[in-house]
Amino acid sequence: MGFVVAIDGPAAAGKGTISRAVADHFGFQHLDTGLLYRAVGARVQAGEDPIAAARTLTPNDLERPDLRTPEIAAAASRVATDPALREALVAFQRSFCALPQGAVLDGRDICTVICPDAEVKFYVTAAPEVRAERRFAELSGKGMAVTQAQVLEDVLARDARDMCRADAPLVAAPDATILDTSDMSIAEAVASAIAVVDKVR
Ligand code: C5P
């Protein structure tokens, strides 16, 4: 088993940025597990069966340019409520836990289900309004026609679905370090995550 940093949290809390920065700093591999659910959601929207889609995901699926749209985020969180679909994605995610160079995985159930023995666990969160503001800036920066109110509504609907589902709901693991990034700059959030990992490593 390699050294594993597991990161969970709601949409647009800063998980992705922190994960990539921690992975870069320590030379770990990074897996954004949300991309797997987004890729399945996209294929289901196109009429495919979710399990068949999960079993045949290719690197190309994970690089589709439309995966970051609000429509696909919503489709991802709908397919993510299916226990059989979640199960079909477990082995691929766990293969990262065995990488000798170490790995950072981020998602919703990494600390609780996928990597319960991770050396370091984080729950990254921020106030919903702050998360909506960040996601709005990201989407409108890419030229998408969205309003801040619509983004807030989408983020809240997705949080509710992710936190209330029966299988692998989003919850802070009892042994996770909570990182509330509401009042932090990216640099501060990254520095505090790296400091926590450094103590254990
Ligand atoms: O992290 P991201 O916003 O890309 O995830 C998209 C959706 O995929 C989430 O809203 C959630 O429903 C689902 N997901 C999940 N478990 C994970 C990662 C993502 O259920 N480990």
Side-chain angles (χ1 to χ4, degrees), residues 68 137-144:
R68 294 283 170 206
E138 178 193 329
L139 295 175
S140 52
K142 286 183 187 163
M144 287 185 214

Side-chain angles (χ1 to χ4, degrees), residues 139-163:
L139 295 175
S140 52
K142 286 183 187 163
M144 287 185 214
V146 287
T147 65
Q148 196 156 331
Q150 183 61 47
V151 172
L152 177 60
E153 201 176 297
D154 287 353
V155 160
L156 291 176
R158 201 141 65 88
D159 285 356
R161 199 152 43 216
D162 291 345
M163 290 171 179

Side-chain angles (χ1 to χ4, degrees), residues 11 15 32-35 37-38 68 73 76-77 80 86 93 106-110 135 158 162 165:
K15 296 188 303 293
D32 169 358
T33 65
L35 278 185
Y37 291 89
R38 286 174 184 258
R68 294 283 170 206
S77 89
R86 303 195 68 83
Q93 296 175 81
D106 73 279
R108 301 293 186 291
D109 62 343
I110 307 304
R135 186 49 52 91
R158 201 141 65 88
D162 291 345
R165 69 185 174 217

Side-chain angles (χ1 to χ4, degrees), residues 8-162:
D8 290 323
K15 296 188 303 293
T17 307
I18 293 171
S19 300
R20 279 188 296 275
V22 168
D24 278 355
H25 183 86
F26 292 101
F28 298 156
Q29 283 284 330
H30 171 226
L31 178 65
D32 169 358
T33 65
L35 278 185
L36 304 175
Y37 291 89
R38 286 174 184 258
V40 172
R43 283 176 53 176
V44 168
Q45 271 194 327
E48 271 190 67
D49 170 72
I51 309 294
R55 294 211 173 115
T56 57
L57 280 183
T58 64
N60 271 352
D61 284 307
L62 305 184
E63 281 157 21
R64 283 174 56 148
D66 60 344
L67 291 187
R68 294 283 170 206
T69 61
E71 293 74 24
I72 294 205
S77 89
R78 284 193 294 271
V79 297
T81 60
D82 176 356
L85 182 265
R86 303 195 68 83
E87 182 57 36
L89 296 174
V90 167
F92 178 75
Q93 296 175 81
R94 288 216 176 116
S95 68
F96 277 72
C97 304
L99 293 174
Q101 70 269 47
V104 181
L105 288 87
D106 73 279
R108 301 293 186 291
D109 62 343
I110 307 304
C111 302
T112 51
V113 176
I114 301 296
C115 307
D117 299 326
E119 277 72 13
V120 185
K121 296 180 178 180
F122 288 106
Y123 187 82
V124 178
T125 189
E129 292 71 20
V130 173
R131 293 189 284 120
E133 205 175 304
R134 290 178 186 161
R135 186 49 52 91
F136 172 73
E138 178 193 329
L139 295 175
S140 52
K142 286 183 187 163
M144 287 185 214
V146 287
T147 65
Q148 196 156 331
Q150 183 61 47
V151 172
L152 177 60
E153 201 176 297
D154 287 353
V155 160
L156 291 176
R158 201 141 65 88
D159 285 356
R161 199 152 43 216
D162 291 345

